Amino acid sequence: MSGAAGTGHVFPEGAADCHVHIYGPFDKYPEVPISEYKSPDAPVERLLALWDGLGIARGVIVHARSAGRDGQVTLDALKAHPDRLRGVAVFEDEVTDARLDEMTEAGFRGVR
Protein backbone atom coordinates (compact mmCIF):
# COMPACT_ATOMS: atom_id res chain seq x y z
CA MET A 1 0.00 0.00 0.00
CA SER A 2 1.22 3.52 -0.77
CA GLY A 3 2.18 6.11 1.82
CA ALA A 4 -0.26 8.98 2.25
CA ALA A 5 0.85 11.97 0.21
CA GLY A 6 4.52 11.09 0.65
CA THR A 7 4.34 11.18 4.45
CA GLY A 8 5.16 7.51 4.87
CA HIS A 9 1.81 6.99 6.60
CA VAL A 10 0.04 3.83 5.46
CA PHE A 11 -3.71 3.61 5.72
CA PRO A 12 -5.14 0.35 7.02
CA GLU A 13 -6.12 -2.16 4.36
CA GLY A 14 -9.66 -1.46 3.20
CA ALA A 15 -9.65 2.18 4.37
CA ALA A 16 -12.69 4.20 3.29
CA ASP A 17 -13.34 7.88 2.62
CA CYS A 18 -16.80 8.51 4.03
CA HIS A 19 -17.71 11.88 2.46
CA VAL A 20 -16.50 13.25 -0.87
CA HIS A 21 -18.00 15.23 -3.74
CA ILE A 22 -17.28 14.92 -7.45
CA TYR A 23 -17.86 17.56 -10.12
CA GLY A 24 -17.64 17.31 -13.87
CA PRO A 25 -16.29 17.03 -16.35
CA PHE A 26 -18.38 20.11 -16.89
CA ASP A 27 -18.93 19.53 -20.61
CA LYS A 28 -20.83 16.32 -19.71
CA TYR A 29 -22.17 17.24 -16.24
CA PRO A 30 -22.70 21.02 -16.09
CA GLU A 31 -22.42 22.79 -12.77
CA VAL A 32 -25.63 24.20 -11.28
CA PRO A 33 -24.72 27.49 -9.61
CA ILE A 34 -26.31 27.71 -6.16
CA SER A 35 -24.13 30.42 -4.64
CA GLU A 36 -20.98 32.41 -5.32
CA TYR A 37 -18.99 29.19 -4.86
CA LYS A 38 -17.39 27.84 -8.04
CA SER A 39 -17.06 24.07 -7.98
CA PRO A 40 -13.69 22.64 -8.97
CA ASP A 41 -13.29 20.34 -11.96
CA ALA A 42 -13.07 17.13 -9.92
CA PRO A 43 -14.34 14.10 -11.84
CA VAL A 44 -14.46 10.61 -10.36
CA GLU A 45 -11.30 9.57 -12.21
CA ARG A 46 -9.31 12.23 -10.37
CA LEU A 47 -10.80 11.09 -7.05
CA LEU A 48 -9.88 7.45 -7.67
CA ALA A 49 -6.34 8.40 -8.67
CA LEU A 50 -5.99 10.34 -5.41
CA TRP A 51 -7.33 7.40 -3.42
CA ASP A 52 -4.94 5.03 -5.19
CA GLY A 53 -2.03 7.24 -4.15
CA LEU A 54 -3.25 7.35 -0.57
CA GLY A 55 -4.15 3.69 -0.30
CA ILE A 56 -7.89 4.29 0.11
CA ALA A 57 -9.91 1.33 -1.09
CA ARG A 58 -13.44 2.69 -1.26
CA GLY A 59 -15.74 5.52 -0.29
CA VAL A 60 -19.03 7.36 -0.32
CA ILE A 61 -19.85 10.13 -2.76
CA VAL A 62 -22.28 12.58 -1.19
CA HIS A 63 -23.95 14.19 -4.17
CA ALA A 64 -23.51 17.96 -4.13
CA ARG A 65 -26.45 20.13 -5.16
CA SER A 66 -24.19 22.14 -7.46
CA ALA A 67 -23.29 18.90 -9.29
CA GLY A 68 -26.80 18.79 -10.75
CA ARG A 69 -30.25 18.11 -9.39
CA ASP A 70 -30.63 14.84 -11.29
CA GLY A 71 -27.68 13.12 -9.56
CA GLN A 72 -26.44 11.79 -12.88
CA VAL A 73 -22.72 12.41 -12.30
CA THR A 74 -22.83 10.40 -9.08
CA LEU A 75 -25.07 7.72 -10.56
CA ASP A 76 -22.69 7.23 -13.49
CA ALA A 77 -19.69 7.06 -11.13
CA LEU A 78 -21.36 4.41 -8.98
CA LYS A 79 -22.29 2.34 -12.03
CA ALA A 80 -18.72 2.58 -13.37
CA HIS A 81 -17.06 1.64 -10.04
CA PRO A 82 -19.46 -0.58 -8.07
CA ASP A 83 -16.63 -2.26 -6.20
CA ARG A 84 -15.35 1.03 -4.75
CA LEU A 85 -18.24 3.48 -4.46
CA ARG A 86 -21.51 4.03 -2.67
CA GLY A 87 -23.57 7.21 -2.74
CA VAL A 88 -25.82 9.59 -0.88
CA ALA A 89 -28.42 11.20 -3.14
CA VAL A 90 -30.10 14.55 -3.53
CA PHE A 91 -33.21 14.49 -5.67
CA GLU A 92 -36.30 16.44 -6.57
CA ASP A 93 -39.69 15.72 -5.02
CA GLU A 94 -40.84 14.35 -8.37
CA VAL A 95 -38.41 11.41 -8.35
CA THR A 96 -40.03 8.27 -9.75
CA ASP A 97 -40.03 4.82 -8.24
CA ALA A 98 -38.12 3.60 -11.28
CA ARG A 99 -35.40 6.20 -10.70
CA LEU A 100 -35.19 5.27 -7.01
CA ASP A 101 -34.82 1.61 -7.98
CA GLU A 102 -32.06 2.50 -10.46
CA MET A 103 -30.24 4.56 -7.83
CA THR A 104 -30.52 1.81 -5.22
CA GLU A 105 -29.25 -0.82 -7.66
CA ALA A 106 -26.29 1.43 -8.54
CA GLY A 107 -25.22 1.82 -4.92
CA PHE A 108 -27.00 4.81 -3.41
CA ARG A 109 -27.60 4.06 0.26
CA GLY A 110 -28.85 7.36 1.65
CA VAL A 111 -30.56 10.66 0.86
CA ARG A 112 -29.72 14.13 2.11
Side-chain angles (χ1 to χ4, degrees), residues 55-105:
I56 296 174
R58 60 191 189 277
V60 179
I61 297 173
V62 177
H63 188 77
R65 290 188 184 278
S66 63
R69 296 281 191 188
D70 63 2
Q72 195 64 47
V73 65
T74 303
L75 179 64
D76 289 349
L78 270 59
K79 286 180 175 181
H81 305 282
D83 56 327
R84 296 188 78 178
L85 299 173
R86 294 295 177 264
V88 174
V90 174
F91 53 81
E92 299 295 325
D93 293 338
E94 304 83 31
V95 67
T96 65
D97 287 344
R99 181 65 167 189
L100 288 174
D101 289 344
E102 178 185 19
M103 294 169 78
T104 300
E105 185 175 322

Side-chain angles (χ1 to χ4, degrees), residues 4-83:
T7 66
H9 177 79
V10 177
F11 284 95
E13 186 173 337
D17 188 337
C18 66
H19 187 137
V20 297
H21 302 290
I22 58 172
Y23 304 95
F26 293 128
D27 60 338
K28 185 172 182 180
Y29 306 104
E31 179 181 22
V32 177
I34 59 172
S35 68
E36 297 294 322
Y37 177 74
K38 173 73 174 129
S39 302
D41 182 28
V44 69
E45 295 80 13
R46 187 173 295 162
L47 172 65
L48 296 178
L50 173 66
W51 283 356
D52 290 344
L54 296 172
I56 296 174
R58 60 191 189 277
V60 179
I61 297 173
V62 177
H63 188 77
R65 290 188 184 278
S66 63
R69 296 281 191 188
D70 63 2
Q72 195 64 47
V73 65
T74 303
L75 179 64
D76 289 349
L78 270 59
K79 286 180 175 181
H81 305 282
D83 56 327

